[in-house]
């Protein structure tokens, strides 16, 4: 039976020219600026080329801008022209600080955006940029999941009312393999197009496709996986770190994405936080004390021993305990993500246990819960 569809027609044509039977892959198409109101998610793990894809869109727009007025009419709606592209970054994004201020930067290079670039803190900042640039028809919003939920509706409304196109090179899943946050969920709800990207697994022994972002620390030359309750957001530069406090990221496959402490988080840590919220701080205080000063007496150590002892990669999981300030990370998790502790209890535990206040203040600010300790 003959092949059907475009791929089948291409295969038949190549066969008629004397080529052997081949698997014909989809060709890469230049970006389509004629369709109004698109909301395009570029998703994939860190290192999968999301921002580089966005840079390709920018270059395609530069080519399209040289076309005639006929093309201009096809890519425009009122004053808005979708060939006019603008790049939006998070105001606190510290990656690629070595590049010029107007750079759309990615791991293997950058392109310069001139005046068509802005840093914003929230969705209100995006509204101001749109208002100040009435002819811009395409916005590339880098790491949209880092912004507030309201951004999704600012985007949807402007795309429907003005025909503006939005492109989002962003993480939808965090290092825990969970949906990044409620903003990520809303971005999925409003998207018209999703372009998934993958990378090679960056484990040195693997060439499998990687779908997940892996967070780890490099301590004493060892790869130390981040525990599940590690702070959701840790702001830092895009360079390799050898620190107990600053993480690194890689794209990883299922086999090499290590995530110790998930069972412990929900089986032990969260219930202790719930007891503390009711006024009984003793259990949480004891566990945090062990995490800070006597790790082998902690429930976390016992959980890892029960789950991974005797497994081929057990040492990788034990190495997660070499990361610094584990007690601080656990306490911040209970405050920022589980909302189980009020500020007073948080301060009491921090002071009583002699925790690292400077580290905690930075992480709290990164996760938009600033507090002076």
């Amino acid at each position: 039976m003959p092949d059907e569809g475009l791929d089948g027609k291409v295969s038949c044509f190549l066969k008629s020219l004397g080529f052997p039977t081949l698997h014909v892959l989809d060709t890469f198409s230049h970006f389509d600026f004629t369709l109004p109101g698109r909301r395009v998610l570029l998703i994939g793990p860190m290192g999968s080329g999301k921002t580089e894809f966005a840079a390709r869109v920018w270059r395609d727009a530069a080519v399209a801008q040289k076309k005639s007025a006929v093309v201009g009419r096809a890519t425009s709606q009122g004053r808005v022209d979708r060939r006019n592209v603008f790049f939006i970054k998070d105001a606190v994004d510290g990656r690629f600080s070595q590049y010029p201020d107007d750079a759309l930067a990615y791991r293997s290079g950058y392109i310069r955006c001139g005046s068509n670039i802005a840093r914003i803190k929230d969705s209100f900042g995006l509204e101001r940029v749109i208002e100040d640039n009435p002819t811009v028809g395409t916005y590339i919003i880098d790491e949209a999941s880092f912004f507030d939920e309201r951004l999704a509706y600012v985007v949807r409304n402007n795309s429907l009312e003005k025909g503006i196109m939005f492109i989002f090179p962003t993480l939808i899943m965090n290092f825990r393999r969970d949906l990044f946050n409620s903003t990520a969920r809303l971005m999925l709800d409003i998207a018209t197009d999703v372009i998934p990207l993958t990378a090679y697994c960056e484990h040195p022994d693997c060439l499998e496709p990687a779908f997940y972002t892996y967070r780890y620390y490099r301590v004493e030359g060892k790869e130390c996986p981040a525990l599940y309750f590690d702070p959701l957001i840790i702001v830092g530069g895009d360079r390799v770190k050898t620190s107990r406090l600053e993480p690194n990221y890689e794209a990883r496959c299922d086999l090499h994405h290590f995530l110790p402490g998930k069972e412990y988080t929900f089986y032990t840590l969260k219930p202790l936080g719930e007891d503390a919220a009711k006024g009984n701080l003793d259990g949480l205080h004891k566990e945090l004390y062990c995490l800070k000063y006597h790790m082998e007496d902690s429930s976390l150590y016992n959980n890892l021993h029960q789950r991974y002892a005797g497994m081929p990669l057990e040492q990788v999981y034990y190495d997660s305990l070499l990361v610094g300030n584990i007690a601080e990370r656990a306490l911040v998790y209970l405050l920022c993500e589980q909302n189980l502790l009020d500020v007073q209890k948080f301060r009491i535990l921090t002071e009583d246990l002699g925790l690292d206040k400077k580290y905690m203040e930075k992480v709290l600010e990164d996760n938009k819960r600033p507090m002076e300790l």
Side-chain angles (χ1 to χ4, degrees):
M1 185 174 180
D3 292 328
E4 296 180 357
L6 180 59
D7 284 354
K9 292 177 182 177
V10 173
S11 296
C12 290
F13 174 68
L14 291 174
K15 192 170 183 179
S16 73
L17 296 178
F19 284 87
T21 301
L22 300 171
H23 177 53
V24 181
L25 301 175
D26 291 337
T27 58
F28 172 76
S29 300
H30 292 292
F31 203 79
D32 186 353
F33 295 99
T34 65
L35 299 176
R38 295 173 69 193
R39 301 177 292 276
V40 184
L41 283 177
L42 303 177
I43 64 172
M46 285 187 171
S48 59
K50 298 185 295 296
T51 310
E52 188 171 1
F53 190 105
R56 192 183 301 164
V57 172
W58 184 284
R59 288 190 288 266
D60 282 356
V63 173
Q65 286 171 357
K66 298 176 183 178
K67 300 294 183 178
S68 71
V70 174
V71 171
R73 287 192 293 272
T75 62
S76 299
Q77 182 171 321
R79 298 177 65 190
V80 165
D81 188 337
R82 287 177 293 279
R83 297 172 300 170
N84 188 359
V85 181
F86 201 105
F87 185 54
I88 300 284
K89 297 179 68 174
D90 188 340
V92 299
D93 187 352
R95 298 173 302 154
F96 308 116
S97 57
Q98 71 273 28
Y99 293 135
D101 290 340
D102 67 343
L104 191 170
Y106 44 93
R107 290 194 177 192
S108 57
Y110 67 94
I111 57 175
R112 302 190 70 165
C113 303
S115 60
N116 277 29
I117 187 170
R119 288 179 174 268
I120 64 170
K121 293 182 178 180
D122 52 33
S123 60
F124 295 98
L126 176 60
E127 282 183 312
R128 287 190 291 272
V129 171
I130 294 173
E131 184 178 344
D132 292 341
N133 296 274
T135 64
V136 169
T138 298
Y139 285 93
I140 299 170
I141 304 180
D142 199 35
E143 299 297 2
S145 295
F146 282 66
F147 296 107
D148 55 288
E149 297 97 325
R150 182 175 177 274
L151 183 94
Y153 296 105
V154 171
V155 164
R156 188 196 63 181
N157 293 346
N158 277 278
S159 68
L160 293 176
E161 294 166 9
K162 301 178 182 178
I164 296 174
M165 177 163 58
F166 293 88
I167 300 171
F168 307 99
T170 190
L171 290 170
I172 291 296
M173 300 179 72
N174 57 34
F175 75 95
R176 300 171 186 154
R177 294 167 61 165
D178 296 334
L179 270 179
F180 197 92
N181 53 20
S182 54
T183 301
R185 163 60 67 190
L186 290 173
M187 299 303 295
L188 286 170
D189 287 345
I190 68 160
T192 60
D193 304 79
V194 176
I195 301 176
L197 301 173
T198 63
Y200 280 136
C201 176
E202 293 186 86
H203 189 278
D205 299 331
C206 189
L207 274 178
E208 290 297 312
F211 296 94
Y212 307 113
T213 296
Y214 173 57
R215 179 189 285 181
Y216 70 98
Y217 297 79
R218 182 66 64 181
V219 182
E220 300 172 2
K222 296 180 179 180
E223 174 189 311
C224 305
L227 292 155
Y228 182 87
F229 56 81
D230 215 42
L232 181 60
I233 299 174
I234 301 178
V235 176
D238 192 60
R239 57 181 176 80
V240 176
K241 276 91 69 174
T242 55
S243 166
R244 295 178 187 270
L245 301 181
E246 295 183 279
N248 299 284
Y249 297 92
E250 289 186 355
R252 290 287 181 95
C253 67
D254 283 297
L255 179 63
H256 296 114
H257 186 280
F258 307 109
L259 189 62
K262 184 173 183 178
E263 178 182 309
Y264 162 83
T265 298
F266 296 105
Y267 189 77
T268 300
L269 180 61
K270 185 178 178 182
L272 290 175
E274 290 169 342
D275 283 346
K278 297 172 185 175
N280 179 15
L281 271 66
D282 292 346
L284 180 58
H285 186 286
K286 179 181 178 181
E287 177 65 7
L288 292 175
Y289 180 83
C290 291
L291 292 177
K292 185 69 177 178
Y293 301 108
H294 297 286
M295 179 60 75
E296 292 189 4
D297 294 330
S298 70
S299 295
L300 174 60
Y301 183 89
N302 183 58
N303 178 266
L304 295 183
H305 181 72
Q306 288 180 340
R307 283 189 58 81
Y308 303 115
M311 292 179 60
L313 297 171
E314 67 174 298
Q315 191 58 49
V316 176
Y317 292 98
Y318 284 127
D319 286 343
S320 66
L321 303 179
L322 297 176
V323 173
N325 289 355
I326 291 178
E328 288 85 346
R329 297 167 195 268
L331 190 57
V332 167
Y333 174 82
L334 293 175
L335 174 75
C336 289
E337 296 189 54
Q338 296 297 325
N339 294 308
L340 290 173
L341 300 176
D342 58 35
V343 172
Q344 183 182 8
K345 292 185 179 71
F346 187 86
R347 290 182 186 277
I348 289 172
L349 290 166
T350 299
E351 194 68 38
D352 203 33
L353 292 163
L355 301 183
D356 186 339
K357 295 180 182 178
K358 184 177 180 181
Y359 168 80
M360 295 173 77
E361 286 176 348
K362 179 188 181 302
V363 172
L364 287 168
E365 184 174 0
D366 289 349
N367 287 269
K368 300 182 180 180
R369 293 287 295 271
M371 185 188 307
E372 187 174 340
L373 297 173

